[in-house]
Amino acid sequence: MTKTFRQAQIQKILRSRSITTQQNLARHLKSVGVRASQGTISRDLRELGVVKTREGYRERDVLQHSEANRDTLRRVLGKLVRDLQLASNLVVVKTLPGSAGTVAEALDFETDLGIVGTIAGDNTIFAAASSPQHAKRVMRKLAAFWQV
């Protein structure tokens, strides 16, 4: 295992879930076959430009882009979305005709939503979450953005 691989795994973990402690990060790394001491993790976080926030560890670049993405998402959802529906582990997003691709791209860029991926047609998007419980959280977050 190389340093590059370990750091890539750290980034992948931080982008997919909220990590609030280095011990929690070490557990997640171990679950993907990466063993690292607290000192190594601390150095990796520093080298990757990761900062600790109230919500957990975040990459500095992601934080800066995240606020801009949220503003874009608010505008896009407010202007182009007609309806949101929950369907098992999917959130179905209905848009104005021809707008699904634009909305799906905005959803894909907002990494904090918990969406695994999107499929867009002309006016419908399937936004997949990893489980029905995660889909409920995605639905709540999207509804909050949509109604702002």
Side-chain angles (χ1 to χ4, degrees):
M1 177 211 45
T2 66
K3 176 180 173 180
T4 303
F5 177 78
R6 184 181 62 247
Q7 288 184 348
Q9 293 305 307
I10 289 171
Q11 289 174 313
K12 185 176 178 182
I13 291 166
L14 294 179
R15 290 174 183 167
S16 67
R17 61 184 47 90
S18 178
I19 301 293
T20 56
T21 67
Q22 291 182 10
Q23 293 81 7
N24 194 7
L25 179 55
R27 278 193 297 277
H28 283 287
L29 284 169
K30 187 176 178 183
S31 74
V32 294
V34 177
R35 293 188 185 269
S37 69
Q38 186 274 328
T40 298
I41 290 172
S42 183
R43 277 188 300 279
D44 285 342
L45 292 173
R46 193 170 37 257
E47 288 177 16
L48 291 169
V50 173
V51 294
K52 189 166 186 179
T53 68
R54 279 185 273 149
E55 293 81 30
Y57 288 99
R58 299 276 189 249
E59 294 174 271
R60 199 170 279 126
D61 292 348
V62 170
L63 283 173
Q64 291 168 349
H65 288 76
S66 186
E67 191 55 41
N69 291 343
R70 281 188 206 107
D71 291 341
T72 299
L73 186 61
R74 279 187 195 96
R75 281 194 307 278
V76 167
L77 291 179
K79 291 180 181 180
L80 303 176
V81 171
R82 292 181 149 175
D83 191 31
L84 300 169
Q85 297 176 358
L86 191 60
S88 187
N89 70 316
L90 298 175
V91 176
V92 180
V93 182
K94 296 288 190 170
T95 71
L96 295 173
S99 301
T102 301
V103 175
E105 188 166 347
L107 293 174
D108 288 336
F109 276 107
E110 182 52 60
T111 58
D112 290 341
L113 288 174
I115 294 173
V116 177
T118 58
I119 298 175
D122 182 62
N123 69 335
T124 304
I125 302 162
F126 293 150
S130 59
S131 71
Q133 293 78 19
H134 286 127
K136 287 178 186 176
R137 276 188 247 145
V138 169
M139 178 76 170
R140 282 193 301 271
K141 289 178 181 180
L142 288 180
F145 276 118
W146 185 36
Q147 296 178 9
V148 170

